[in-house]
């Protein structure tokens, strides 16, 4: 394997900090599957069993998460290098919470769960990276829950979107009917419509038919803060 490939693999979230000697030992014991996904094809779908780790080496992936009542779909953009739902590999519900589709040609690395349990967990750095990743997700979810009190309709809409996002960066697209969004945040439809149109006029979002497209979630969060707190 070329040095450039080593370097690329060592940039992956769960392998960061491993020395090349340890990674060479891993390659001798763990069966790695490299796969190329053409643009528009799915890496995995929501509800499928998570029995492996999928690392995105190159390319861009779009997530598609649909709620159980089919009222809305949230799309997010993931950049490489990245790993798909490491938190879904263990626990009571080991299935993917979203679908993942290649937004460009994607190079991916797949590692089966049994190799993770029998080989990769022998390395302290891997275990630490895994624990940190899962702990960070749990802490972020806890923070969203305890800091999600909305003081106005702007914050209600932002909290609704933010609490369902996996990452604070990248393009977000919420596919939802205006009346459904109003119902879910307990607001009048006309107030929701007015707020969204004001945001569009300010360049914070773009509205398409039943879609809210957010190019910079951080800017939208700042815009929803009360004036006194800005």
């Amino acid at each position: 394997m070329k040095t450039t490939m080593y370097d690329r693999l060592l940039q992956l979230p769960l392998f960061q900090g491993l020395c090349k000697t340890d990674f060479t030992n891993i390659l001798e014991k763990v069966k790695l599957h490299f796969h190329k996904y053409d643009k528009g094809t799915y890496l995995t779908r929501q509800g499928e069993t998570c029995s492996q780790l999928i690392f995105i080496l190159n390319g861009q992936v779009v997530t598609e998460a649909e709620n159980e009542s089919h009222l809305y779909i949230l799309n997010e953009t993931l950049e490489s290098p990245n790993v798909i739902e490491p938190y879904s590999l263990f626990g009571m519900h080991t299935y993917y919470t979203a679908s993942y589709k290649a937004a460009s040609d994607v190079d991916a690395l797949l590692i089966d769960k049994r190799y993770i349990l029998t080989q990769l967990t022998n390395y302290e750095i891997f275990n630490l990276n895994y624990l940190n990743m899962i702990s960070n997700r749990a802490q972020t979810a806890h923070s969203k829950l305890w800091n999600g009190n909305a003081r106005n309709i702007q914050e209600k809409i932002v909290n609704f979107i933010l609490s369902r996002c996996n990452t604070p960066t990248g393009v977000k697209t919420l596919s939802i009917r205006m009346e459904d969004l109003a119902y879910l945040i307990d607001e009048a439809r006309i107030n929701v419509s007015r707020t969204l149109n004001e945001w569009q006029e300010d360049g914070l979002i773009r509205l398409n038919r039943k879609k809210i497209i957010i190019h910079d979630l951080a800017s939208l969060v700042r815009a929803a803060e009360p004036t006194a707190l800005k």
Side-chain angles (χ1 to χ4, degrees), residues 3 47-48 75 151 166 208 212:
T3 302
E48 291 181 348
N75 297 100
R151 290 156 288 192
N166 287 309
N208 282 348
I212 305 168

Side-chain angles (χ1 to χ4, degrees), residues 172-224:
K172 318 291 181 187
T173 301
L174 178 62
S175 301
I176 190 170
R177 297 190 308 168
M178 200 81 70
E179 52 266 36
D180 289 332
L181 178 57
Y183 168 75
L184 290 167
I185 66 171
D186 193 26
E187 279 285 348
R189 183 191 184 284
I190 188 171
N191 294 334
V192 171
S193 178
R194 183 185 300 115
T195 299
L196 293 177
N197 279 285
E198 287 174 355
W199 282 347
Q200 180 168 241
E201 291 174 3
D202 292 338
L204 295 168
I205 65 172
R206 181 161 54 89
L207 298 175
N208 282 348
R209 182 173 174 79
K210 298 180 183 178
K211 287 188 178 182
I212 305 168
I213 302 168
I214 307 162
H215 291 286
D216 184 4
L217 183 58
S219 294
L220 188 62
V221 171
R222 288 193 296 270

Side-chain angles (χ1 to χ4, degrees), residues 92-215:
M92 294 180 61
H93 306 289
T94 55
Y95 53 81
Y96 292 104
T97 60
S99 298
Y100 296 82
K101 184 168 67 174
S104 64
D105 290 342
V106 170
D107 295 317
L109 166 65
L110 285 61
I111 304 180
D112 192 87
K113 184 176 181 177
R114 67 178 180 274
Y115 290 114
I116 294 165
L117 290 171
T118 60
Q119 299 297 332
L120 293 182
T121 53
N122 293 326
Y123 296 88
E124 184 178 355
I125 292 293
F126 179 87
N127 290 333
L128 183 60
N129 288 339
Y130 210 130
L131 288 172
N132 280 334
M133 187 174 290
I134 294 174
S135 296
N136 287 340
R137 177 179 170 81
Q139 291 163 7
T140 299
H142 182 271
S143 177
K144 289 178 181 178
L145 178 64
W146 282 91
N147 297 296
N149 294 328
R151 290 156 288 192
N152 52 50
I153 186 172
Q154 291 86 359
E155 287 191 343
K156 281 186 178 182
I157 297 174
V158 165
N159 287 348
F160 180 86
I161 298 170
L162 190 62
S163 64
R164 288 158 177 80
C165 289
N166 287 309
T167 63
T169 59
V171 178
K172 318 291 181 187
T173 301
L174 178 62
S175 301
I176 190 170
R177 297 190 308 168
M178 200 81 70
E179 52 266 36
D180 289 332
L181 178 57
Y183 168 75
L184 290 167
I185 66 171
D186 193 26
E187 279 285 348
R189 183 191 184 284
I190 188 171
N191 294 334
V192 171
S193 178
R194 183 185 300 115
T195 299
L196 293 177
N197 279 285
E198 287 174 355
W199 282 347
Q200 180 168 241
E201 291 174 3
D202 292 338
L204 295 168
I205 65 172
R206 181 161 54 89
L207 298 175
N208 282 348
R209 182 173 174 79
K210 298 180 183 178
K211 287 188 178 182
I212 305 168
I213 302 168
I214 307 162
H215 291 286

